Amino acid sequence: TMEERKLEKKKRKQNAAREMIRVFFGRGLYAKICLGIVVAFILIAIFCPLLTPYSPYEQSLKDQFQTSNANHWLGTDQLGRDLMTRLMYGARISLVTGLVSSVWGALIGVTLGLIAGYSRGFLQHFIMRCVDAQLSIPSIIFTMILIPVVGASILGIGFVIGLSSIPGYVRNIYAQILSLREQDYVTAAHLVGQ
């Protein structure tokens, strides 16, 4: 009946969710510790205005060069700014830059890898030679050359870092597509006219 199908579908979804959680958290102690560190990093970056009474830009020259104490856990810098506060606010910049560069690099790299893998001839060779040319330049030099062109904003830095990560994605996806293209089921699909 219809109710039995709905119940069975619901059970399958619950079992799939349980299996995903079991596989993810069954990877050992190191995976759990790393997950905890990443989650803590994200939560601190999001809730840093609630976690500290100081502004990252607030200067207090009477408090300069203080060591760790009850008011300033990591001390203060030469302008009297709280180092713990600056560290927490800096996590926001790191997360945004990492997210922008990862998404940008993956989006463009996977797309170019798919195009190079599926196409044959000029386009395939052109994309892969461009990737090889970019790989011949050290990524730190590549980044240092492009930062002044793009601008030293958070999004600009994320864009350039993502641009330097594109060849890795392209080569990985390209290799996967080439191996899948030679599988028997692809040959069979071509033989039946698909």
Side-chain angles (χ1 to χ4, degrees), residues 17 46 49 71 187 189:
I46 292 172
N71 292 332
T187 306

Side-chain angles (χ1 to χ4, degrees), residues 100-119 123-124 127-128 130-132 134-135 158-177:
V100 167
S101 64
S102 297
V103 169
W104 166 253
L107 187 69
I108 301 300
V110 168
T111 304
L112 288 175
L114 287 171
I115 292 170
Y118 280 120
S119 64
L123 191 57
Q124 172 189 10
I127 291 173
M128 295 314 293
C130 287
V131 166
D132 291 341
Q134 185 177 346
L135 283 173
F159 171 78
V160 171
I161 293 172
L163 199 61
S164 65
S165 70
I166 287 174
Y169 288 107
V170 173
R171 291 178 72 111
N172 193 356
I173 297 298
Y174 176 72
Q176 294 294 322
I177 295 297

Side-chain angles (χ1 to χ4, degrees), residues 92-162:
R92 288 180 165 186
I93 295 170
S94 298
L95 284 173
V96 169
T97 305
L99 186 67
V100 167
S101 64
S102 297
V103 169
W104 166 253
L107 187 69
I108 301 300
V110 168
T111 304
L112 288 175
L114 287 171
I115 292 170
Y118 280 120
S119 64
R120 292 187 171 106
F122 173 75
L123 191 57
Q124 172 189 10
H125 294 297
F126 177 75
I127 291 173
M128 295 314 293
R129 293 308 73 82
C130 287
V131 166
D132 291 341
Q134 185 177 346
L135 283 173
S136 69
I137 304 169
S139 61
I140 190 73
I141 306 253
F142 185 74
T143 304
M144 287 172 40
I145 290 171
L146 285 180
I147 287 291
V149 174
V150 175
S153 67
I154 295 172
L155 292 177
I157 292 170
F159 171 78
V160 171
I161 293 172

Side-chain angles (χ1 to χ4, degrees), residues 40-42 44-46 48 85-97:
F41 189 66
I42 291 170
I44 287 171
I46 292 172
C48 62
T85 301
R86 293 180 62 78
L87 190 65
M88 286 193 278
Y89 276 90
R92 288 180 165 186
I93 295 170
S94 298
L95 284 173
V96 169
T97 305

